[in-house]
Amino acid sequence: MPKLHTDAEVEIKLDGAAGPLQATTTQPQRRGLFEHPGTSVFAVVELTSKAYTGHADGEDKQPQVKIRVTLAEVAQDNEQAQMVAEVMRAMYRQRKMNGTLDEIGPGSRDVESAVSEALGSLPTETEFDVYQERQQARRGRVEQHG
């Protein structure tokens, strides 16, 4: 596997294989997605790299990696959808506050346990609001002194 410079941007391409999504999406959900374009379902997925396009010195083309959904759990009701949505919001807050996303790595495949674990280590709405207020206050001080 080639090593890229740490600043290299890698483009992600999603492989078309959707077996895990097919297996965990109910027939009514699939029918609703078909009959009502723009409809969404919430899912927790594992993405695995399957292929890459190499990067040669002097090439203008960005390196690419093709990923595939290898495991998936689709929320089956509103309660599960709300749990997944809250995990997504918490992960967004974490990424926004740190400027990074930590790798999830191998772990539990149990959705409820994963949700509880993720929410326990990620910032709450209140913590995110405090962070945003501090950022705005810093910007205000810089503008006054700049």
Side-chain angles (χ1 to χ4, degrees):
M1 188 69 61
K3 294 290 183 189
L4 297 172
H5 187 272
T6 56
D7 293 336
E9 289 290 325
V10 177
E11 183 180 356
I12 292 180
K13 297 285 186 176
L14 185 60
D15 182 272
L21 292 171
Q22 177 77 23
T24 61
T25 307
T26 66
Q27 179 60 22
Q29 285 174 319
R30 292 190 298 269
R31 186 177 185 90
L33 290 165
F34 179 85
E35 291 177 346
H36 307 285
T39 297
S40 298
V41 294
F42 283 90
V44 176
V45 299
E46 177 182 77
L47 304 172
T48 304
S49 61
K50 292 297 181 178
Y52 70 94
T53 301
H55 176 69
D57 288 338
E59 285 289 319
D60 289 336
K61 187 175 181 183
Q62 281 184 297
Q64 296 178 347
V65 63
K66 185 177 279 190
I67 59 172
R68 180 178 298 157
V69 175
T70 49
L71 286 173
E73 287 299 329
V74 176
Q76 300 296 309
D77 56 34
N78 286 338
E79 184 178 330
Q80 285 185 348
Q82 288 172 354
M83 283 192 301
V84 174
E86 181 54 32
V87 169
M88 290 172 65
R89 286 190 295 272
M91 290 174 74
Y92 169 79
R93 292 189 301 264
Q94 182 73 38
R95 182 166 44 100
K96 185 79 170 173
M97 289 171 71
N98 290 344
T100 62
L101 266 181
D102 294 334
E103 291 183 25
I104 295 173
S108 172
R109 304 273 190 245
D110 177 61
V111 175
E112 288 184 319
S113 295
V115 168
S116 296
E117 182 179 321
L119 290 178
S121 64
L122 296 174
T124 64
E125 286 287 342
T126 302
E127 290 168 332
F128 184 64
D129 290 343
V130 168
Y131 166 77
Q132 286 185 311
E133 289 171 10
R134 286 182 185 153
Q135 293 296 100
Q136 288 174 345
R138 281 188 195 127
R139 276 187 235 120
R141 286 192 297 268
V142 169
E143 290 172 7
Q144 288 175 357
H145 296 290

